[in-house]
Amino acid sequence: MRRTPLATALLSLAAVPLLLPALTHAPAQAAEREDATWTEVYFQTPDGTTLHADVLRPAGLADDVETPVVLTVSPYTSHSGGVSAPDPMGEPPSERFYDFLDLTGALDEGYTYVMVDLPGTGGSGGCNDWGGPAEQGAVEAAVEWAADQPWSTGKVALIGKSYDAWTGLMGVSRRPDGLEAVIAMEPVFSGYSYLYNRGVRFANSVGTPVVFQANDLFPGSLADSPEYQLTGAPLTPCHALNIGQQQDDVEGSAFWVERDLVPTSRGSRLPVLLTQGFLETNTKPDRAFDYWSGLRGRHNIGWFGQFDHVRGWETDAEGRPQVGRDPMVFARQVEAFLDKHLLGERGRSVRAARPGVQVQDNLGRWRREAVWPPSDVRSLRTVLNTGSYADDGANTATGPDAGQGVWSVSAPLRRPAWIAGEPRLDVSVTTTLPRANLVALVYDIAPDGTATVISRGTQLVRDAGSTSYSLPLYGQDWRLARGHRIGVLLSGADAGWWVHTPTGSDVVVDEAAIRLPFLTRERSRFLAGGSTPRLEEHLADTATVPAEVLDEPVRFRVARLR
C-alpha cells in the first residue's frame, strides 16, 4: 500500500501525538530485500533526542531469536537520500551498505543489520553538531539500545565509511556497553583536521559545513510516514551556529577539542579494522597514524595503501579494484572480523581476521607488517638549506607553477631507499607579517629531474617574528630507486591542495631539518595485488626540478636496506 504523500502527512501532523521511545513502525515492502525483514524503530537518547532506526532482520527469523548486530550510525541513511543524493520518491530503507550485505552475506549468516540516523538527519530528531557531544552521545545510545533489544545477543559492531566511519571511531572513544568491534573505512579522525591542516584551510572548509546543515534540513521521501516526517523535522535552530563555529581555524579551541577523537581513543583495546589511503583526497591521512599508533588492541587490522576515498571492495567504472586487490579479499576480511568478535568463532573460519597491517607501497605491492610504521624503521635527520620564499600563494606541488621556494636535494642515491612512516620537519622561520604560510613537500626525483610527491604538510605562521615548529607530514610507504634523489621544498603554498591566504611578504627560513623514516630491512614477500587507479593518477602528476637545484646537492642521511 502506498504511503501518505508528504503534503497530506504534514497536514495531519497536528493530530499526531509526540512519539514515544522505541515506537515500532512496520513499513511497506517496496524496497525490502528478499533476505531481510525490515522494520522502523524510534528510541530516545538519555538527553531526550528521538533517533530513528531501520532494522533489517534475517528473513523468516522469529522476533525472539537473538542475533549479533552490525550497526551503522550515519547522516547518509535518510530515506530520501539527503542533500547529496536527493530523491523525494525514494523507497526506504537506505541502500548505503547493501554492498556490505551482498558481499558478506551477513543476513544469511545470522546478523541483524541496523541503520540509525544521526540527530537531525533522516527520521531522527535534534540537530547535527559535526561530530560533537550530541553525535557522540547518539552513537553511544544507539550501540547500547541495539545491545539491549530482545532480538540482540548484546554484541554490536559499528561499520561505516567516511562520516559513518567517524561515528565508528566515536564508539571507540565512548566505549559503550555492548560494542565489541569497529570497522572504519576512510574515517574522519578529527573534525578540525577534515577542514583544516594546522591553521590552513582545505577547500571544503566552507562548503562542507553548509552541505551538512542542508542535509539536516532535508525532508524524508514521499513514501515516508507522518512519524518519520515529524520526528525528522528541523526544529532546532542550530544550523547557523554550527557553520559559524566551524570557521574557527584554531585547532586547540574548545569546539575542536571536543571533536578530536585521537586523544580520547588512545589506549583503547576495542578491536578496530581501519583503512586509510595514503593518497586520499577526501579524508586525508593527517592524524591517521597518530590515531592508529595510540590504539592498544591485540586484534586490530589496518589496510594502508595507495588508494583514495573508497571501500576496500570497490571497483572503478572499468571493474578495476580501487585498492589493487580482489574485492573479495577485503569482504572476507570484514566477514571474518565480525565472526571472530561477534560470534566468537575460532580456527580456520576466521583466519582472514589475522591482526596486523597490510600495507601497499608506491610500486603497487601489498605486504604484511606486524605494525606500521614497521619496527625496523630508523628515523634519520638531515639539515636542509636555509633561504627565503615569497608568501604569494603561487606555488603548486606539481605542474608548471611548482618548484617555487627553498630547495634541498640529495645526490643520486647509490642504492635503493625505502621511506615508511611520517616525515617530520623541524623549522625556524622569521616573518614580518602575521598569518604567513609554510608548506613542506617531499619528492622522489627521477634522474631526468621529474619529481613525484611523496609527502606534504603545512603550517599557518600566526605571529610575526621568529617562530619554530616541529611539523609532521603525511605518512607514506615509498621505495626510491637507485639513482633517484630525495627532494624537500619549503614554500608558501601548495595551491592545489590547500586554500592559502597569502600575505605577500617574504618568509625567511632560519633553520630547517627533516627526519625521514627509513626501512632498514629489505622486503621480498608480497601479497596478491597490484597498482591502483589513484596511484597511477598520482605518478602521472609531476613537477620538474630546476637544473640549478640538482647541481647543488645536500648530503642526506639515508638508511641502507639490508
Side-chain angles (χ1 to χ4, degrees), residues 194-217:
Y194 184 71
L195 302 179
Y196 303 90
N197 196 178
R198 293 168 184 83
V200 181
R201 291 179 179 271
F202 288 112
N204 63 345
S205 61
V206 176
T208 296
V210 173
V211 166
F212 274 92
Q213 302 320 303
N215 193 58
D216 191 306
L217 296 167

Side-chain angles (χ1 to χ4, degrees), residues 264-282:
T264 56
S265 299
R266 191 166 290 128
S268 170
R269 299 186 181 279
L270 188 76
V272 174
L273 196 169
L274 176 70
T275 76
Q276 177 63 54
F278 293 129
L279 303 178
E280 257 276 15
T281 57
N282 190 331

Side-chain angles (χ1 to χ4, degrees), residues 29-30 34 47 169 184 261 361 371 389 509 541-542:
Q29 304 297 307
E34 292 184 357
D47 68 1
L169 301 190
L261 301 182
D361 63 27
V371 295
Y389 61 82
V509 179
D541 188 19
T542 60

